[in-house]
Amino acid sequence: MTAGCSIISLLELVCTMRSIIIFIKRDWKNIRRSDYSDRRVLLVEDNDLNREIASEIIGMTGASVEIVENGREAVERIENASENWYDIVFMDVQMPVINGYEATAAIRALPGRRGQIPIIAMTANAFEEDRKKAFDAGMNAHIAKPIDIEKLRAAILRMEF
């Protein structure tokens, strides 16, 4: 099972699993009280494990979650969707093809509601300069990984999701 895994990736997996266990013990009732069954989320994440975890957590709100693996796919998805199709985007920052900052800038250049969609950075880059870079790129909020469910809920509520 661990063939080809580095010590770093194993530590990331352990930290991620620990945060999931903490979430389940502490926050299950709170997230279940949120009902966003009429909302559509675009999750932009290139890492399989992070994608699965974020999708599950966001999906617990009842929202419909669509997933793409890089910034170019995100821009194309939003550009080709109807004007109000997506309600919010959760955007990884470090991705292949087009990173989250570039994708956000491209989305902000789109006309109408598409260019105004709330975008939340979800990244392991948690220093203040990383937050500033996310906001400078046009993102509306910044959540550090591993995902803290309370911070996720607070960011969603601030976006009037």
Side-chain angles (χ1 to χ4, degrees):
M1 180 172 146
T2 59
C5 290
S6 68
I7 295 295
I8 299 298
S9 63
L10 288 174
L11 288 173
E12 288 174 347
L13 176 62
V14 168
C15 288
T16 301
M17 297 310 291
R18 182 178 172 274
S19 67
I20 291 171
I21 291 166
I22 290 168
F23 156 72
I24 290 171
K25 287 180 177 177
R26 187 186 71 206
D27 297 320
W28 177 256
K29 290 179 184 174
N30 290 336
I31 193 71
R32 294 297 293 174
R33 275 188 251 159
S34 304
D35 181 16
Y36 299 109
S37 56
D38 61 336
R39 308 296 183 159
R40 288 187 190 92
V41 172
L42 182 61
L43 174 61
V44 188
E45 173 64 64
D46 66 316
N47 179 281
D48 292 339
L49 181 60
N50 290 341
R51 192 169 46 241
E52 185 174 336
I53 292 167
S55 177
E56 285 296 318
I57 291 172
I58 296 166
M60 286 180 200
T61 67
S64 172
V65 181
E66 293 183 30
I67 300 169
V68 295
E69 296 182 14
N70 64 62
R72 177 177 294 150
E73 291 176 3
V75 173
E76 290 171 356
R77 201 58 84 87
I78 292 169
E79 196 171 32
N80 295 321
S82 63
E83 184 77 19
N84 295 308
W85 186 255
Y86 296 108
D87 295 291
I88 196 165
V89 176
F90 289 94
M91 179 83 69
D92 186 17
V93 171
Q94 295 180 341
M95 294 180 292
V97 187
I98 295 179
N99 69 39
Y101 302 127
E102 296 166 330
T104 297
I107 291 167
R108 292 295 178 238
L110 295 174
R113 164 84 167 83
R114 288 180 184 92
Q116 299 170 5
I117 189 168
I119 300 174
I120 298 177
M122 290 194 328
T123 178
N125 301 338
F127 294 110
E128 187 55 38
E129 62 264 18
D130 299 313
R131 291 176 49 82
K132 182 180 180 337
K133 193 171 179 181
F135 290 117
D136 289 347
M139 294 178 177
N140 301 90
H142 179 281
I143 299 174
K145 293 177 187 172
I147 299 167
D148 178 309
I149 197 62
E150 285 305 314
K151 289 180 182 175
L152 176 70
R153 285 171 40 87
I156 289 172
L157 291 173
R158 279 193 310 272
M159 297 303 112
E160 297 180 15
F161 175 67

